[in-house]
Amino acid sequence: MVYIVCDLISLEGNMTDERTEQQADLSLPESRSWFDCLKWCPSSQLHLVTAETRVLQYVKSEVERFYVPISNNWRIWTLKVDPKKPKALPVVVVHGFAAAAAFFLLNIDAIAKHRAFYAFDVLGFGRSSRPKFSTEADAVEEESVRSIEEWREGVGLEKFILMGHSFGGFLAAAYAIKYPNRVKHLILVEPWGFPERTEKAAEELKAQMPLWMRLLSPLLLQFSPLMPLRATGPWAPGLLRRARPDLKLKFEAAFDDNTVIDYFYHCNAQAPSGEIAFASLLVPYGLEWARKPMLPRMTQLRRDVPITFIYGADTWVDSSTGRRTESLRKSSYVDVVHIQEAGHHVYADQTAKFNEKVVWVCENVDRAHQSKAILSMETCI
């Protein structure tokens, strides 16, 4: 187990570890200079660190934050809460496109009350390294899945419950296909990239998409998807607040100001990396569809890996892929859950219901895992 501990957030949200971000080789400036004021984008790694710290002040649990080194001198930024309950399987959470680990601020306490909780910034996003990815879909997927496995080795996890949201659901499914021995249960929350593209599906999706997504989709697919955040420079934070007021509303239980929107901005105003890799996975002119859709590949997932799909009832994602996966895996456990009055960000739209369902799934996995362990011991005796 090798990792660099950077800081620890106490119950009050204060830093209790005396080691500073500079000592952790974050290469952050000690203070702002006049040059910072001249930058086109009012963002930096230091701004991102500050924004993440503020977001995590909502979390009551003690959160460890650290880098996990992987190959090529890359690093994966990690959040961990360990309630010291070794009989419970840990849960690993993979965020979606243009997000980061701390977006699960509304879920950490409820889930980590019962088990160790891990979340990390996917390679190319947030505070993780931002390498230059291949432009081939197969290579991008392989690099991303390999980074998750190297991260797992770094934190020393053997078996765990794997949960992914949106693009993170796509990566979680790809990981489970390649490393089924590690995954005791796969929770796919609003997974992206499952269905195959058809003209009928394209029209239906366009009708369900939020207006801002319909307007920006043609532009984003021509360029780096998050390019507008950098191109609009000092006006970007204000424009983002006006364009995405829904982000503020989703997290109003935690903050009544722009804390989460500003965190989103600083996550995505950095050098483009993961967003370019994501664009390589897309079917041209189709935000919902992957070049290698995941649904047909679910037959490759080992039969004894159970799956729970969780969708918001008002989502724009094709939620029929959950039932279609169930049809493809008739001899395997597949459950499909729809949470009412929730959209794509179901974990924030209906936090209590989402947390309750995830906790219930995880506790059932624990019971099944422990029963299997007892049966194995009795067989040996």
Side-chain angles (χ1 to χ4, degrees):
M1 183 184 303
V2 180
Y3 53 79
I4 305 171
V5 176
C6 289
D7 51 47
L8 192 68
I9 298 181
S10 70
L11 296 179
E12 292 78 22
N14 300 315
M15 301 297 181
T16 57
D17 191 322
E18 294 181 358
R19 285 166 287 192
T20 65
E21 300 285 1
Q22 285 81 9
Q23 289 173 326
D25 190 29
L26 283 175
S27 302
L28 298 175
E30 293 184 0
S31 61
R32 295 190 67 190
S33 67
W34 63 270
F35 179 75
D36 292 321
C37 299
L38 300 179
K39 290 178 61 177
W40 177 248
C41 290
S43 185
S44 66
Q45 278 292 314
L46 182 57
H47 284 94
L48 178 52
V49 170
T50 303
E52 180 195 67
T53 299
R54 187 173 181 192
V55 164
L56 289 174
Q57 286 177 344
Y58 174 77
V59 180
K60 296 179 176 61
S61 306
E62 193 174 76
V63 182
E64 295 177 61
R65 303 191 292 177
F66 52 88
Y67 275 115
V68 177
I70 61 173
S71 59
N72 299 312
N73 292 318
W74 298 339
R75 303 184 299 177
I76 302 296
W77 183 246
T78 304
L79 308 182
K80 174 185 176 183
V81 177
D82 188 357
K84 308 300 181 185
K85 297 191 175 182
K87 291 185 178 181
L89 285 162
V91 63
V92 173
V93 183
V94 189
H95 66 77
F97 173 73
F103 274 98
F104 294 102
L105 69 149
L106 299 176
N107 318 107
I108 294 174
D109 286 330
I111 298 172
K113 181 180 179 181
H114 307 279
R115 67 197 61 253
F117 175 98
Y118 291 81
F120 58 86
D121 289 356
V122 171
L123 186 66
F125 293 96
R127 293 178 64 181
S128 289
S129 295
R130 290 173 174 258
K132 183 178 180 180
F133 285 87
S134 169
T135 57
E136 298 296 324
D138 285 343
V140 168
E141 184 178 319
E142 170 61 27
E143 289 169 352
S144 299
V145 170
R146 184 172 65 247
S147 73
I148 297 173
E149 173 60 7
E150 292 181 1
W151 172 87
R152 179 204 64 78
E153 292 175 350
V155 294
L157 292 177
E158 290 300 318
K159 298 183 185 297
F160 49 89
I161 298 163
L162 182 59
M163 178 168 73
H165 171 255
S166 194
F167 175 47
F170 180 89
L171 294 179
Y175 177 89
I177 289 172
K178 187 162 186 178
Y179 300 102
N181 287 337
R182 302 299 178 188
V183 181
K184 298 302 295 182
H185 197 103
L186 183 61
I187 304 176
L188 299 175
V189 183
E190 290 276 318
W192 169 87
F194 269 60
E196 297 177 274
R197 188 185 190 280
T198 64
E199 290 304 318
K200 180 182 178 182
E203 290 302 316
E204 291 176 350
L205 174 65
K206 186 176 180 180
Q208 294 172 351
M209 275 185 172
L211 177 61
W212 67 268
M213 190 180 290
R214 293 202 301 271
L215 294 175
L216 288 179
S217 290
L219 175 65
L220 300 186
L221 290 166
Q222 294 291 331
F223 303 98
S224 175
L226 297 170
M227 176 271 293
L229 286 179
R230 292 178 290 273
T232 50
W235 295 282
L239 290 172
L240 183 61
R241 291 170 186 174
R242 288 192 287 273
R244 295 297 309 275
D246 58 302
L247 279 178
K248 181 176 178 179
L249 291 173
K250 291 178 191 301
F251 294 93
E252 63 182 353
F255 300 100
D256 59 4
D257 57 14
N258 293 307
T259 294
V260 175
I261 296 180
D262 291 347
Y263 174 54
F264 176 84
Y265 169 73
H266 291 300
C267 279
N268 295 300
Q270 311 306 315
S273 173
E275 65 191 87
I276 297 175
F278 177 74
S280 299
L281 296 172
L282 291 171
V283 168
Y285 304 102
L287 282 175
E288 163 71 354
W289 295 281
R291 290 181 185 270
K292 289 187 61 181
M294 190 58 65
L295 179 61
R297 293 195 273 162
M298 295 309 285
T299 56
Q300 300 172 26
L301 179 61
R302 207 170 67 189
R303 289 189 304 171
D304 62 345
V305 178
I307 309 172
T308 296
F309 286 87
I310 302 179
Y311 296 99
D314 303 321
T315 183
W316 56 266
V317 167
D318 183 356
S319 60
S320 71
T321 53
R323 292 299 178 197
R324 289 157 70 187
T325 300
E326 187 177 28
S327 297
L328 290 173
R329 296 173 58 82
K330 293 185 182 299
S331 59
S332 302
Y333 178 91
V334 178
D335 188 24
V336 182
V337 177
H338 295 270
I339 296 181
Q340 298 301 311
E341 299 181 5
H344 185 54
H345 296 277
V346 57
Y347 61 92
D349 292 335
Q350 290 291 336
T351 301
K353 292 178 181 178
F354 176 82
N355 290 344
E356 181 181 1
K357 185 61 184 179
V358 171
V359 168
W360 181 84
V361 170
C362 291
E363 288 179 343
N364 282 344
V365 177
D366 285 340
R367 283 191 283 271
H369 180 63
Q370 291 165 12
S371 297
K372 188 175 292 186
I374 292 171
L375 180 62
S376 178
M377 290 176 60
E378 290 176 345
T379 302
C380 292
I381 293 172

